Amino acid sequence: MGSGPGGVLSMLLLLLALPSRPAAGCPAQCSCAQTRVDCGRRGLTWASLPAAFPPDTTELVLTGNNLTSLPPGLLDALPMLRAVHLGANPWRCDCRLVPLRAWLAGRPERALYRDLRCAAPLALRGRVLSYLTEEELRAACAPGALCRGALAAQLLLLGLGLLHALLLALLLGRLRKLRASARAAHRLSLTTPLVSELAEAK
């Protein structure tokens, strides 16, 4: 029946392994119990938020952090997730929250997300995220950094284009000078024998 020392040892190892199994893959910033992952009130920001959570997570707590947005696809990667607590965060309701709003729109339970309100921008402060339209979020996206980046890229391309045009013009000018020099040398080579013959004839 396996009642020897080997069987007892195997049973003890199995019993010790069972409690720690649900916590496998638990992020260092969080605490895990069964399939509940608690990352609440850890001072997490978008940069310090764990990149992934255990795939069997059914409840995720992110309450009371400094989150302004979530990385796209973070919640979609948790197929077993039934509830996520997102309150008491300074959410910035702009285009970066479009993926989160889309995820909330597909949830049957809305009561958990009624306290999910915008802290910024000023025009949307206090609004409930799940009641905002995607157009409102996209319109509120701060264009400053995005426009500066696009403008910088366009200016860089313009500068490269001008540099390319300048180099091409210099190259064409150099080629024309070389052709002119070659033609002059060719003409000189044709006239030199004639001059010599005339000089000899005199």
Side-chain angles (χ1 to χ4, degrees):
M1 296 292 294
S3 58
V8 173
L9 181 60
S10 299
M11 185 63 69
L12 286 174
L13 290 174
L14 180 62
L15 290 175
L16 289 173
L18 284 176
S20 60
R21 187 175 180 182
C26 185
Q29 306 96 314
C30 312
S31 61
C32 301
Q34 299 298 325
T35 57
R36 185 178 191 268
V37 181
D38 188 353
C39 306
R41 295 176 175 81
R42 303 296 206 279
L44 297 176
T45 63
W46 190 93
S48 61
L49 188 69
F53 297 96
D56 61 344
T57 301
T58 58
E59 185 178 4
L60 178 61
V61 180
L62 295 174
T63 308
N65 285 296
N66 295 315
L67 298 172
T68 57
S69 63
L70 292 179
L74 182 69
L75 301 179
D76 295 320
L78 303 174
M80 306 296 292
L81 190 61
R82 294 196 301 265
V84 56
H85 305 275
L86 299 167
N89 280 291
W91 299 108
R92 181 173 184 83
C93 295
D94 57 20
C95 55
R96 295 173 183 84
L97 280 190
V98 169
L100 177 57
R101 183 210 169 268
W103 187 86
L104 293 174
R107 311 306 298 175
E109 65 284 350
R110 297 292 183 91
L112 286 175
Y113 312 113
R114 288 177 181 171
D115 62 340
L116 192 58
R117 297 181 179 273
C118 305
L122 184 62
L124 297 179
R125 181 178 297 175
R127 297 278 302 275
V128 178
L129 174 59
S130 57
Y131 294 157
L132 293 175
T133 64
E134 182 175 336
E135 289 73 19
E136 286 179 299
L137 291 176
R138 293 191 181 280
C141 193
L146 297 176
C147 287
R148 284 195 296 271
L151 179 60
Q154 290 177 357
L155 289 176
L156 179 61
L157 290 175
L158 179 61
L160 291 175
L162 291 175
L163 180 60
H164 183 267
L166 178 61
L167 291 175
L168 184 60
L170 291 174
L171 180 61
L172 290 175
R174 182 64 176 171
L175 287 174
R176 287 174 182 172
K177 288 182 180 180
L178 289 175
R179 286 180 180 177
S181 300
R183 288 175 182 173
H186 181 65
R187 289 174 182 173
L188 183 61
S189 65
L190 292 177
T191 57
T192 299
L194 294 175
V195 173
S196 300
E197 291 176 0
L198 290 173
E200 291 176 357
K202 290 179 180 181

mmCIF file of all heavy atoms in Angstrom, residues 27-73:
data_model
loop_
_atom_site.group_PDB
_atom_site.id
_atom_site.type_symbol
_atom_site.label_atom_id
_atom_site.label_comp_id
_atom_site.label_asym_id
_atom_site.label_seq_id
_atom_site.Cartn_x
_atom_site.Cartn_y
_atom_site.Cartn_z
ATOM 1 N N PRO A 27 3.667 37.731 -9.414
ATOM 2 C CA PRO A 27 4.623 38.838 -9.531
ATOM 3 C C PRO A 27 5.207 39.222 -8.179
ATOM 4 O O PRO A 27 4.543 39.126 -7.141
ATOM 5 C CB PRO A 27 3.769 39.973 -10.118
ATOM 6 C CG PRO A 27 2.618 39.290 -10.770
ATOM 7 C CD PRO A 27 2.340 38.074 -9.938
ATOM 8 N N ALA A 28 6.437 39.674 -8.195
ATOM 9 C CA ALA A 28 7.131 40.025 -6.956
ATOM 10 C C ALA A 28 6.464 41.190 -6.234
ATOM 11 O O ALA A 28 6.515 41.271 -5.007
ATOM 12 C CB ALA A 28 8.590 40.363 -7.265
ATOM 13 N N GLN A 29 5.808 42.081 -6.986
ATOM 14 C CA GLN A 29 5.183 43.248 -6.368
ATOM 15 C C GLN A 29 3.832 42.926 -5.742
ATOM 16 O O GLN A 29 3.230 43.797 -5.105
ATOM 17 C CB GLN A 29 4.981 44.360 -7.403
ATOM 18 C CG GLN A 29 6.233 44.753 -8.164
ATOM 19 C CD GLN A 29 6.325 44.037 -9.491
ATOM 20 O OE1 GLN A 29 6.110 42.834 -9.563
ATOM 21 N NE2 GLN A 29 6.643 44.771 -10.543
ATOM 22 N N CYS A 30 3.336 41.720 -5.929
ATOM 23 C CA CYS A 30 1.973 41.378 -5.524
ATOM 24 C C CYS A 30 1.980 40.209 -4.550
ATOM 25 O O CYS A 30 3.008 39.578 -4.312
ATOM 26 C CB CYS A 30 1.132 41.026 -6.756
ATOM 27 S SG CYS A 30 1.268 42.219 -8.106
ATOM 28 N N SER A 31 0.813 39.916 -4.010
ATOM 29 C CA SER A 31 0.614 38.717 -3.205
ATOM 30 C C SER A 31 -0.505 37.906 -3.841
ATOM 31 O O SER A 31 -1.473 38.464 -4.356
ATOM 32 C CB SER A 31 0.246 39.088 -1.759
ATOM 33 O OG SER A 31 -0.955 39.836 -1.721
ATOM 34 N N CYS A 32 -0.352 36.592 -3.825
ATOM 35 C CA CYS A 32 -1.312 35.716 -4.492
ATOM 36 C C CYS A 32 -1.874 34.694 -3.527
ATOM 37 O O CYS A 32 -1.147 34.149 -2.696
ATOM 38 C CB CYS A 32 -0.644 34.993 -5.663
ATOM 39 S SG CYS A 32 0.042 36.107 -6.902
ATOM 40 N N ALA A 33 -3.167 34.464 -3.616
ATOM 41 C CA ALA A 33 -3.845 33.433 -2.839
ATOM 42 C C ALA A 33 -4.806 32.716 -3.770
ATOM 43 O O ALA A 33 -5.743 33.330 -4.277
ATOM 44 C CB ALA A 33 -4.594 34.056 -1.655
ATOM 45 N N GLN A 34 -4.520 31.440 -3.987
ATOM 46 C CA GLN A 34 -5.287 30.673 -4.973
ATOM 47 C C GLN A 34 -5.181 31.383 -6.334
ATOM 48 O O GLN A 34 -4.093 31.581 -6.835
ATOM 49 C CB GLN A 34 -6.738 30.515 -4.510
ATOM 50 C CG GLN A 34 -6.872 29.764 -3.175
ATOM 51 C CD GLN A 34 -6.352 28.339 -3.237
ATOM 52 O OE1 GLN A 34 -6.483 27.670 -4.244
ATOM 53 N NE2 GLN A 34 -5.762 27.884 -2.144
ATOM 54 N N THR A 35 -6.299 31.798 -6.882
ATOM 55 C CA THR A 35 -6.264 32.469 -8.186
ATOM 56 C C THR A 35 -6.538 33.976 -8.056
ATOM 57 O O THR A 35 -6.864 34.638 -9.034
ATOM 58 C CB THR A 35 -7.309 31.843 -9.123
ATOM 59 O OG1 THR A 35 -8.611 31.928 -8.517
ATOM 60 C CG2 THR A 35 -6.974 30.391 -9.418
ATOM 61 N N ARG A 36 -6.379 34.497 -6.861
ATOM 62 C CA ARG A 36 -6.549 35.939 -6.612
ATOM 63 C C ARG A 36 -5.177 36.592 -6.506
ATOM 64 O O ARG A 36 -4.340 36.171 -5.717
ATOM 65 C CB ARG A 36 -7.336 36.167 -5.331
ATOM 66 C CG ARG A 36 -7.675 37.631 -5.052
ATOM 67 C CD ARG A 36 -8.506 37.732 -3.774
ATOM 68 N NE ARG A 36 -9.075 39.051 -3.589
ATOM 69 C CZ ARG A 36 -8.483 40.030 -2.894
ATOM 70 N NH1 ARG A 36 -7.288 39.820 -2.332
ATOM 71 N NH2 ARG A 36 -9.069 41.211 -2.760
ATOM 72 N N VAL A 37 -4.952 37.613 -7.317
ATOM 73 C CA VAL A 37 -3.685 38.335 -7.334
ATOM 74 C C VAL A 37 -3.940 39.743 -6.804
ATOM 75 O O VAL A 37 -4.719 40.501 -7.386
ATOM 76 C CB VAL A 37 -3.084 38.390 -8.746
ATOM 77 C CG1 VAL A 37 -1.755 39.135 -8.734
ATOM 78 C CG2 VAL A 37 -2.899 36.980 -9.299
ATOM 79 N N ASP A 38 -3.288 40.080 -5.700
ATOM 80 C CA ASP A 38 -3.500 41.369 -5.055
ATOM 81 C C ASP A 38 -2.269 42.250 -5.247
ATOM 82 O O ASP A 38 -1.213 42.008 -4.671
ATOM 83 C CB ASP A 38 -3.771 41.166 -3.571
ATOM 84 C CG ASP A 38 -4.194 42.458 -2.873
ATOM 85 O OD1 ASP A 38 -4.147 43.523 -3.520
ATOM 86 O OD2 ASP A 38 -4.568 42.406 -1.688
ATOM 87 N N CYS A 39 -2.416 43.261 -6.076
ATOM 88 C CA CYS A 39 -1.354 44.252 -6.303
ATOM 89 C C CYS A 39 -1.828 45.626 -5.864
ATOM 90 O O CYS A 39 -1.309 46.654 -6.321
ATOM 91 C CB CYS A 39 -0.965 44.304 -7.771
ATOM 92 S SG CYS A 39 -0.496 42.719 -8.480
ATOM 93 N N GLY A 40 -2.817 45.656 -4.978
ATOM 94 C CA GLY A 40 -3.391 46.914 -4.535
ATOM 95 C C GLY A 40 -2.501 47.665 -3.574
ATOM 96 O O GLY A 40 -1.768 47.077 -2.783
ATOM 97 N N ARG A 41 -2.554 48.996 -3.692
ATOM 98 C CA ARG A 41 -1.840 49.897 -2.779
ATOM 99 C C ARG A 41 -0.348 49.574 -2.694
ATOM 100 O O ARG A 41 0.235 49.479 -1.620
ATOM 101 C CB ARG A 41 -2.474 49.860 -1.398
ATOM 102 C CG ARG A 41 -3.897 50.416 -1.413
ATOM 103 C CD ARG A 41 -4.604 50.316 -0.082
ATOM 104 N NE ARG A 41 -5.895 50.962 -0.162
ATOM 105 C CZ ARG A 41 -6.993 50.407 -0.684
ATOM 106 N NH1 ARG A 41 -6.914 49.179 -1.172
ATOM 107 N NH2 ARG A 41 -8.129 51.070 -0.733
ATOM 108 N N ARG A 42 0.265 49.388 -3.834
ATOM 109 C CA ARG A 42 1.715 49.125 -3.908
ATOM 110 C C ARG A 42 2.459 50.292 -4.541
ATOM 111 O O ARG A 42 3.648 50.190 -4.789
ATOM 112 C CB ARG A 42 1.993 47.857 -4.733
ATOM 113 C CG ARG A 42 1.314 46.571 -4.259
ATOM 114 C CD ARG A 42 1.792 46.130 -2.899
ATOM 115 N NE ARG A 42 1.677 44.721 -2.652
ATOM 116 C CZ ARG A 42 0.571 44.073 -2.283
ATOM 117 N NH1 ARG A 42 -0.557 44.735 -2.161
ATOM 118 N NH2 ARG A 42 0.589 42.771 -2.037
ATOM 119 N N GLY A 43 1.740 51.374 -4.838
ATOM 120 C CA GLY A 43 2.376 52.510 -5.482
ATOM 121 C C GLY A 43 2.786 52.246 -6.911
ATOM 122 O O GLY A 43 3.698 52.885 -7.439
ATOM 123 N N LEU A 44 2.109 51.318 -7.560
ATOM 124 C CA LEU A 44 2.485 50.925 -8.921
ATOM 125 C C LEU A 44 2.119 52.012 -9.934
ATOM 126 O O LEU A 44 1.092 52.673 -9.812
ATOM 127 C CB LEU A 44 1.791 49.619 -9.302
ATOM 128 C CG LEU A 44 2.149 48.388 -8.462
ATOM 129 C CD1 LEU A 44 1.320 47.191 -8.897
ATOM 130 C CD2 LEU A 44 3.636 48.076 -8.568
ATOM 131 N N THR A 45 2.982 52.165 -10.906
ATOM 132 C CA THR A 45 2.723 53.042 -12.044
ATOM 133 C C THR A 45 2.700 52.194 -13.310
ATOM 134 O O THR A 45 2.909 50.976 -13.254
ATOM 135 C CB THR A 45 3.807 54.121 -12.165
ATOM 136 O OG1 THR A 45 5.068 53.480 -12.413
ATOM 137 C CG2 THR A 45 3.905 54.933 -10.884
ATOM 138 N N TRP A 46 2.469 52.852 -14.446
ATOM 139 C CA TRP A 46 2.478 52.114 -15.712
ATOM 140 C C TRP A 46 3.820 51.433 -15.930
ATOM 141 O O TRP A 46 3.888 50.310 -16.414
ATOM 142 C CB TRP A 46 2.195 53.088 -16.858
ATOM 143 C CG TRP A 46 1.941 52.420 -18.173
ATOM 144 C CD1 TRP A 46 0.726 52.061 -18.676
ATOM 145 C CD2 TRP A 46 2.909 52.039 -19.159
ATOM 146 N NE1 TRP A 46 0.879 51.483 -19.914
ATOM 147 C CE2 TRP A 46 2.209 51.458 -20.244
ATOM 148 C CE3 TRP A 46 4.301 52.131 -19.233
ATOM 149 C CZ2 TRP A 46 2.852 50.980 -21.374
ATOM 150 C CZ3 TRP A 46 4.939 51.652 -20.366
ATOM 151 C CH2 TRP A 46 4.220 51.090 -21.413
ATOM 152 N N ALA A 47 4.903 52.095 -15.501
ATOM 153 C CA ALA A 47 6.240 51.544 -15.722
ATOM 154 C C ALA A 47 6.561 50.391 -14.778
ATOM 155 O O ALA A 47 7.273 49.456 -15.152
ATOM 156 C CB ALA A 47 7.287 52.644 -15.583
ATOM 157 N N SER A 48 6.059 50.449 -13.542
ATOM 158 C CA SER A 48 6.398 49.411 -12.560
ATOM 159 C C SER A 48 5.354 48.299 -12.462
ATOM 160 O O SER A 48 5.539 47.349 -11.702
ATOM 161 C CB SER A 48 6.581 50.045 -11.176
ATOM 162 O OG SER A 48 5.385 50.676 -10.737
ATOM 163 N N LEU A 49 4.271 48.408 -13.232
ATOM 164 C CA LEU A 49 3.242 47.368 -13.216
ATOM 165 C C LEU A 49 3.814 46.069 -13.775
ATOM 166 O O LEU A 49 4.565 46.100 -14.757
ATOM 167 C CB LEU A 49 2.056 47.816 -14.059
ATOM 168 C CG LEU A 49 0.797 46.941 -14.022
ATOM 169 C CD1 LEU A 49 0.135 47.032 -12.658
ATOM 170 C CD2 LEU A 49 -0.175 47.386 -15.109
ATOM 171 N N PRO A 50 3.525 44.916 -13.156
ATOM 172 C CA PRO A 50 4.019 43.644 -13.706
ATOM 173 C C PRO A 50 3.618 43.478 -15.163
ATOM 174 O O PRO A 50 2.507 43.825 -15.570
ATOM 175 C CB PRO A 50 3.350 42.591 -12.816
ATOM 176 C CG PRO A 50 3.095 43.297 -11.522
ATOM 177 C CD PRO A 50 2.780 44.713 -11.894
ATOM 178 N N ALA A 51 4.528 42.933 -15.939
ATOM 179 C CA ALA A 51 4.264 42.757 -17.371
ATOM 180 C C ALA A 51 3.261 41.643 -17.636
ATOM 181 O O ALA A 51 2.626 41.622 -18.693
ATOM 182 C CB ALA A 51 5.571 42.474 -18.106
ATOM 183 N N ALA A 52 3.122 40.707 -16.692
ATOM 184 C CA ALA A 52 2.201 39.581 -16.883
ATOM 185 C C ALA A 52 1.772 39.062 -15.521
ATOM 186 O O ALA A 52 2.453 39.265 -14.508
ATOM 187 C CB ALA A 52 2.862 38.476 -17.697
ATOM 188 N N PHE A 53 0.635 38.384 -15.523
ATOM 189 C CA PHE A 53 0.081 37.775 -14.316
ATOM 190 C C PHE A 53 -0.163 36.294 -14.587
ATOM 191 O O PHE A 53 -0.192 35.868 -15.749
ATOM 192 C CB PHE A 53 -1.218 38.475 -13.925
ATOM 193 C CG PHE A 53 -1.053 39.926 -13.568
ATOM 194 C CD1 PHE A 53 -1.281 40.918 -14.505
ATOM 195 C CD2 PHE A 53 -0.644 40.290 -12.302
ATOM 196 C CE1 PHE A 53 -1.113 42.247 -14.191
ATOM 197 C CE2 PHE A 53 -0.478 41.622 -11.969
ATOM 198 C CZ PHE A 53 -0.708 42.604 -12.913
ATOM 199 N N PRO A 54 -0.310 35.499 -13.523
ATOM 200 C CA PRO A 54 -0.576 34.069 -13.745
ATOM 201 C C PRO A 54 -1.782 33.877 -14.665
ATOM 202 O O PRO A 54 -2.806 34.537 -14.502
ATOM 203 C CB PRO A 54 -0.861 33.544 -12.331
ATOM 204 C CG PRO A 54 -0.117 34.472 -11.433
ATOM 205 C CD PRO A 54 -0.192 35.815 -12.086
ATOM 206 N N PRO A 55 -1.681 32.997 -15.643
ATOM 207 C CA PRO A 55 -2.773 32.852 -16.623
ATOM 208 C C PRO A 55 -4.080 32.346 -16.029
ATOM 209 O O PRO A 55 -5.127 32.508 -16.649
ATOM 210 C CB PRO A 55 -2.202 31.854 -17.634
ATOM 211 C CG PRO A 55 -1.109 31.142 -16.909
ATOM 212 C CD PRO A 55 -0.537 32.120 -15.939
ATOM 213 N N ASP A 56 -4.028 31.737 -14.832
ATOM 214 C CA ASP A 56 -5.264 31.245 -14.224
ATOM 215 C C ASP A 56 -5.884 32.260 -13.257
ATOM 216 O O ASP A 56 -6.787 31.916 -12.490
ATOM 217 C CB ASP A 56 -5.005 29.920 -13.499
ATOM 218 C CG ASP A 56 -3.982 30.062 -12.373
ATOM 219 O OD1 ASP A 56 -3.265 31.088 -12.357
ATOM 220 O OD2 ASP A 56 -3.901 29.162 -11.518
ATOM 221 N N THR A 57 -5.421 33.499 -13.298
ATOM 222 C CA THR A 57 -5.954 34.539 -12.423
ATOM 223 C C THR A 57 -7.437 34.758 -12.693
ATOM 224 O O THR A 57 -7.850 34.975 -13.833
ATOM 225 C CB THR A 57 -5.193 35.865 -12.626
ATOM 226 O OG1 THR A 57 -3.802 35.666 -12.341
ATOM 227 C CG2 THR A 57 -5.737 36.958 -11.725
ATOM 228 N N THR A 58 -8.239 34.719 -11.621
ATOM 229 C CA THR A 58 -9.674 34.990 -11.749
ATOM 230 C C THR A 58 -10.060 36.329 -11.138
ATOM 231 O O THR A 58 -11.097 36.897 -11.484
ATOM 232 C CB THR A 58 -10.502 33.883 -11.073
ATOM 233 O OG1 THR A 58 -10.129 33.803 -9.685
ATOM 234 C CG2 THR A 58 -10.257 32.533 -11.737
ATOM 235 N N GLU A 59 -9.224 36.838 -10.233
ATOM 236 C CA GLU A 59 -9.497 38.129 -9.597
ATOM 237 C C GLU A 59 -8.186 38.896 -9.471
ATOM 238 O O GLU A 59 -7.200 38.385 -8.956
ATOM 239 C CB GLU A 59 -10.138 37.949 -8.226
ATOM 240 C CG GLU A 59 -10.544 39.262 -7.570
ATOM 241 C CD GLU A 59 -11.225 39.062 -6.214
ATOM 242 O OE1 GLU A 59 -11.298 37.894 -5.765
ATOM 243 O OE2 GLU A 59 -11.656 40.063 -5.607
ATOM 244 N N LEU A 60 -8.198 40.128 -9.954
ATOM 245 C CA LEU A 60 -6.999 40.960 -9.949
ATOM 246 C C LEU A 60 -7.309 42.267 -9.239
ATOM 247 O O LEU A 60 -8.279 42.948 -9.570
ATOM 248 C CB LEU A 60 -6.535 41.222 -11.383
ATOM 249 C CG LEU A 60 -5.314 42.119 -11.573
ATOM 250 C CD1 LEU A 60 -4.083 41.520 -10.897
ATOM 251 C CD2 LEU A 60 -5.056 42.348 -13.057
ATOM 252 N N VAL A 61 -6.469 42.607 -8.272
ATOM 253 C CA VAL A 61 -6.665 43.832 -7.491
ATOM 254 C C VAL A 61 -5.554 44.818 -7.843
ATOM 255 O O VAL A 61 -4.380 44.553 -7.594
ATOM 256 C CB VAL A 61 -6.657 43.542 -5.979
ATOM 257 C CG1 VAL A 61 -6.875 44.838 -5.188
ATOM 258 C CG2 VAL A 61 -7.716 42.513 -5.621
ATOM 259 N N LEU A 62 -5.947 45.947 -8.417
ATOM 260 C CA LEU A 62 -5.005 47.021 -8.738
ATOM 261 C C LEU A 62 -5.421 48.330 -8.081
ATOM 262 O O LEU A 62 -4.963 49.409 -8.472
ATOM 263 C CB LEU A 62 -4.922 47.206 -10.253
ATOM 264 C CG LEU A 62 -4.350 46.028 -11.054
ATOM 265 C CD1 LEU A 62 -4.470 46.291 -12.550
ATOM 266 C CD2 LEU A 62 -2.903 45.768 -10.678
ATOM 267 N N THR A 63 -6.255 48.241 -7.066
ATOM 268 C CA THR A 63 -6.807 49.416 -6.403
ATOM 269 C C THR A 63 -5.719 50.213 -5.697
ATOM 270 O O THR A 63 -4.773 49.654 -5.149
ATOM 271 C CB THR A 63 -7.870 48.974 -5.376
ATOM 272 O OG1 THR A 63 -8.802 48.112 -6.018
ATOM 273 C CG2 THR A 63 -8.599 50.168 -4.789
ATOM 274 N N GLY A 64 -5.885 51.528 -5.682
ATOM 275 C CA GLY A 64 -5.055 52.387 -4.854
ATOM 276 C C GLY A 64 -3.619 52.514 -5.296
ATOM 277 O O GLY A 64 -2.726 52.669 -4.458
ATOM 278 N N ASN A 65 -3.367 52.481 -6.582
ATOM 279 C CA ASN A 65 -2.016 52.683 -7.092
ATOM 280 C C ASN A 65 -1.930 54.041 -7.789
ATOM 281 O O ASN A 65 -2.788 54.905 -7.590
ATOM 282 C CB ASN A 65 -1.641 51.546 -8.052
ATOM 283 C CG ASN A 65 -1.333 50.258 -7.308
ATOM 284 O OD1 ASN A 65 -0.389 50.182 -6.537
ATOM 285 N ND2 ASN A 65 -2.156 49.231 -7.532
ATOM 286 N N ASN A 66 -0.909 54.221 -8.588
ATOM 287 C CA ASN A 66 -0.738 55.469 -9.340
ATOM 288 C C ASN A 66 -0.852 55.210 -10.838
ATOM 289 O O ASN A 66 -0.091 55.763 -11.626
ATOM 290 C CB ASN A 66 0.625 56.096 -9.016
ATOM 291 C CG ASN A 66 0.723 56.526 -7.561
ATOM 292 O OD1 ASN A 66 -0.212 57.131 -7.024
ATOM 293 N ND2 ASN A 66 1.831 56.224 -6.916
ATOM 294 N N LEU A 67 -1.790 54.376 -11.204
ATOM 295 C CA LEU A 67 -1.961 53.987 -12.604
ATOM 296 C C LEU A 67 -2.762 55.043 -13.366
ATOM 297 O O LEU A 67 -3.836 55.445 -12.931
ATOM 298 C CB LEU A 67 -2.668 52.638 -12.691
ATOM 299 C CG LEU A 67 -1.928 51.457 -12.049
ATOM 300 C CD1 LEU A 67 -2.823 50.226 -12.028
ATOM 301 C CD2 LEU A 67 -0.639 51.168 -12.796
ATOM 302 N N THR A 68 -2.235 55.467 -14.484
ATOM 303 C CA THR A 68 -2.959 56.368 -15.378
ATOM 304 C C THR A 68 -3.473 55.630 -16.609
ATOM 305 O O THR A 68 -4.378 56.120 -17.297
ATOM 306 C CB THR A 68 -2.058 57.529 -15.823
ATOM 307 O OG1 THR A 68 -0.879 56.998 -16.452
ATOM 308 C CG2 THR A 68 -1.629 58.370 -14.624
ATOM 309 N N SER A 69 -2.906 54.472 -16.892
ATOM 310 C CA SER A 69 -3.359 53.627 -18.001
ATOM 311 C C SER A 69 -2.806 52.224 -17.783
ATOM 312 O O SER A 69 -2.003 52.007 -16.873
ATOM 313 C CB SER A 69 -2.890 54.190 -19.351
ATOM 314 O OG SER A 69 -1.467 54.187 -19.425
ATOM 315 N N LEU A 70 -3.250 51.286 -18.612
ATOM 316 C CA LEU A 70 -2.758 49.911 -18.561
ATOM 317 C C LEU A 70 -2.132 49.544 -19.897
ATOM 318 O O LEU A 70 -2.576 50.013 -20.950
ATOM 319 C CB LEU A 70 -3.908 48.936 -18.255
ATOM 320 C CG LEU A 70 -4.537 49.002 -16.871
ATOM 321 C CD1 LEU A 70 -5.669 47.967 -16.760
ATOM 322 C CD2 LEU A 70 -3.519 48.771 -15.774
ATOM 323 N N PRO A 71 -1.111 48.703 -19.878
ATOM 324 C CA PRO A 71 -0.522 48.261 -21.151
ATOM 325 C C PRO A 71 -1.575 47.534 -21.993
ATOM 326 O O PRO A 71 -2.354 46.744 -21.467
ATOM 327 C CB PRO A 71 0.598 47.301 -20.717
ATOM 328 C CG PRO A 71 0.930 47.719 -19.315
ATOM 329 C CD PRO A 71 -0.364 48.191 -18.721
ATOM 330 N N PRO A 72 -1.629 47.791 -23.283
ATOM 331 C CA PRO A 72 -2.617 47.118 -24.142
ATOM 332 C C PRO A 72 -2.468 45.604 -24.079
ATOM 333 O O PRO A 72 -1.357 45.075 -24.113
ATOM 334 C CB PRO A 72 -2.274 47.643 -25.545
ATOM 335 C CG PRO A 72 -1.554 48.929 -25.309
ATOM 336 C CD PRO A 72 -0.802 48.749 -24.029
ATOM 337 N N GLY A 73 -3.608 44.911 -23.957
ATOM 338 C CA GLY A 73 -3.601 43.451 -23.956
ATOM 339 C C GLY A 73 -3.317 42.812 -22.624
ATOM 340 O O GLY A 73 -3.340 41.580 -22.523
#
